[in-house]
Amino acid sequence: MAASTNSFLVGNNTQIPTFKPKSTSQSLLHLSKPNTVNLAGRAKPVAVRCVGSTTQVQDGVRSGSVGSQERVFNFAAGPATLPENVLLKAQADLYNWRGSGMSVMEMSHRGKEFLSIIQKAESDLRQLLEIPQEYSVLFLQGGATTQFAALPLNLCKSDDTVDFVVTGSWGDKAAKEAKKYCNTNVIWSGKSEKYTKVPSFDELEQTPHAKYLHICGNETIHGVEFKDYPVTKNPNGFLVADMSSNFCSKPVDVSKFGVIYGGAQKNVGPSGVTIVIIRKDLIGNAQDITPVMLDYKIHDDNSSLYNTPPCFGIYMCGLVFEDLLEQGGLKEVEKKNQRKADLLYNAIEESKGFFKCPVEKSVRSLMNVPFTLEKSELEAEFIKEAAKEKMVQLKGHRSVGGMRASIYNAMPLAGVEKLVAFMKDFQAKHA
């Protein structure tokens, strides 16, 4: 059976395709399984063809419009859109990372190649967020949800009290999980107002001896974002923040927090990586019942390499950190995010009630924009018609309905401009 250089033969003879290192391709792997005929107890080999059109890449930017036309504007809340130049860079190095003879997915996590990847990722993240030396950076697994348990297990004893400000579903879940391992006190909840605001910090009645105060910096589902941060009343207490959905979207003064944590799959990488930034003096006091894989000291002592980490995900995060630095850092990134958010929120306000955002204006998220239609029966049609225009994942979270546009760092301005134009056309047809 003959094979081209774009074919794999699975059988006694294997032909490996030839790759051209100076170009990448938008390729789709097609598995073609011909009718199998047994001859003397042996089956004919199965052909696996790699078919795709080649698109040249120059300086990390796709030349020509073929590839861009194939991609949609993805407004998903997470996993979310990634920078196109980052995807192309990863694609170019997928088969043979920087002449190492292997893919990042094949490397030993203890080998010099991957050590250089994870160390650079941490260094670039420290530069982006200006992380002080007295903080450790951990690359973990299990999502932010796993940290809902890891935090109380590492930071307090079973009879300690932790305060929670609950501005959405994720803050609520964090409080409920922590209750298994310590005393919890929800000192404010926006549930009765359907999570549309952030409280005045002066009205918070904090527990005087609370070990720490927990917030969710940006509620992905409800689109509520802290623009400033509360200070703990206990002089020995500290602030802990879940920043999963606005991580690296703007500058943050890390020194105001004891712990910042988040899943990578919103703003800085694919799903599978969880990043924890923790003050070093808070490490090493885990409860006896803490599983090894949730013990921050274990991971800190082993530089996030206690067991096999999500290597490829960390590599992708590193590429995103490089990209953010190349854009000029988080101050420049925030300006771009503000411009996109202003464009979308202004379109909602100017629709005269046809579109509505329920969130209080002062705390509307730059990352996740929930909105509804005055005529709710049109929402399904809005989502369907938007998808035809290559704008996908605009359906709101199942718990709240409506629509939601997640406009993370990697969402280009053109994507928001196209959505706004579509919204205006939709209103003109249905108002």
Side-chain angles (χ1 to χ4, degrees), residues 122 125-126 129 131-132 134-152 154-155 238-244 247 254 257-264 268 272-280 282-283 293-297 299-300 303-304 310 314 317 321:
E122 178 178 339
L125 179 58
R126 284 185 177 276
L129 284 170
I131 301 172
E134 58 266 27
Y135 285 76
S136 288
V137 175
L138 307 177
F139 293 99
L140 306 176
Q141 303 180 63
T145 302
T146 299
Q147 297 307 309
F148 296 165
L151 287 160
N154 280 272
L155 302 177
F238 49 91
L239 186 61
V240 173
D242 175 358
M243 292 192 179
S244 293
F247 189 71
V254 174
F257 301 84
V259 183
I260 292 171
Y261 69 100
V268 297
V273 180
T274 309
I275 297 171
V276 174
I277 302 170
I278 180 170
R279 218 172 64 203
K280 290 180 179 180
L282 300 176
I283 298 172
M293 286 303 295
L294 298 189
D295 190 331
Y296 292 148
K297 189 175 190 306
H299 294 292
D300 188 48
S303 302
S304 301
I314 293 170
C317 289
F321 298 152

Side-chain angles (χ1 to χ4, degrees), residues 354-373:
F354 187 83
F355 297 102
K356 297 178 182 178
C357 175
V359 181
E360 194 175 88
K361 289 184 179 180
S362 63
V363 293
R364 286 179 174 176
S365 170
L366 298 188
M367 298 288 99
N368 310 100
V369 182
F371 59 100
T372 58
L373 278 166

